[in-house]
Amino acid sequence: MSVHALAERRDRFVPSGLASSEEMIRRLYAITSDYGQGFERQIRRTLELGCDHFGLEIGMLTRIIGERVEILHVVAPPDAMVRKHDVFDLKETLCSLVLSEAKPVGLDRLSHGRFRIHPAHRAYGSEAYLGAPVLVEGDLFGTICFTSSYPRGRPFNDVDLDAIYLMSSWVSVEIQRRRTEVDLRAAT
């Protein structure tokens, strides 16, 4: 049987969400294993991948310090209301939901349900959100998250939550690795 015939046969039996998740994992692996491109580019490409895969406009890596959230990296349209190094009150962001749940959170339509009164929806028009905590040595560092001003066409499922967890895990390990390198250089 040809490769093309096998792919067609697989596509009849594998739900399209699973096939796209497999592709996302392959792309994430290619990004995260290419250390030669540097951390900044790896983060940017990871955020671009997440925006594309989850169908959301904005991707961010944040740092949480006390009750403040700083955007460390962002991929967004030019007219977006967020920029690198912007700082927000934690309680006014959807990142606060990730912290209260201590796990990935996906909201496909904030204007329907209990989150329609959330400050992020009211102030910034956030309509869809997917985020996960980034932990470094077991301590909260920040979040990796994706958001959009329009609702998502379908609810986030377990595969989406697993995908963002995988992204947050890689970011966590990479930040720790970079800290260890700095410590080793300082010790020599």
Side-chain angles (χ1 to χ4, degrees):
M1 191 177 277
S2 73
V3 172
H4 182 67
L6 285 172
E8 285 179 1
R9 184 174 183 194
R10 181 205 65 200
D11 291 345
R12 284 195 311 245
F13 297 105
V14 176
S16 62
L18 183 57
S20 69
S21 294
E22 289 173 356
E23 175 62 21
M24 192 280 303
I25 290 169
R26 279 193 288 279
R27 289 175 59 195
L28 183 61
Y29 176 77
I31 293 166
T32 60
S33 63
D34 185 3
Y35 290 103
Q37 66 182 316
F39 181 67
E40 303 290 320
R41 182 153 163 76
Q42 285 177 300
I43 289 291
R44 178 166 189 74
R45 290 184 59 209
T46 299
L47 294 174
E48 290 169 346
L49 171 62
C51 288
D52 181 50
H53 180 75
F54 301 123
L56 301 174
E57 298 169 292
I58 300 169
M60 296 176 281
L61 174 62
T62 71
R63 171 86 170 132
I64 296 174
I65 302 170
E67 296 299 313
R68 310 288 284 167
V69 177
E70 179 184 3
I71 299 173
L72 298 180
H73 299 274
V74 63
V75 169
D79 62 342
M81 295 176 63
V82 293
R83 300 278 181 264
K84 186 173 183 174
H85 302 300
D86 282 354
V87 177
F88 300 91
D89 288 331
L90 177 61
K91 66 183 180 223
E92 294 183 7
T93 69
L94 293 165
C95 295
S96 64
L97 301 175
V98 171
L99 301 187
S100 67
E101 295 288 325
K103 64 181 183 180
V105 171
L107 305 166
D108 60 301
R109 187 179 284 257
L110 274 84
S111 61
H112 293 96
R114 66 185 174 127
F115 296 109
R116 71 181 176 279
I117 61 170
H118 193 282
H121 174 67
R122 292 182 13 200
Y124 309 111
S126 299
E127 188 62 46
Y129 175 86
L130 179 64
V134 173
L135 303 173
V136 177
E137 291 187 347
D139 295 324
L140 178 67
F141 175 87
T143 64
I144 184 168
C145 56
F146 300 89
T147 188
S148 202
S149 61
Y150 51 83
R152 191 154 185 264
R154 63 176 177 79
F156 292 104
N157 59 31
D158 288 342
V159 174
D160 296 322
L161 297 175
D162 288 346
I164 195 161
Y165 177 77
L166 183 61
M167 289 177 169
S168 74
S169 295
W170 171 76
V171 171
S172 297
V173 168
E174 189 60 25
I175 290 170
Q176 180 55 48
R177 186 184 72 77
R178 291 168 53 94
R179 285 183 177 177
T180 301
E181 283 180 355
V182 168
D183 291 346
L184 287 173
R185 279 192 214 116
T188 57

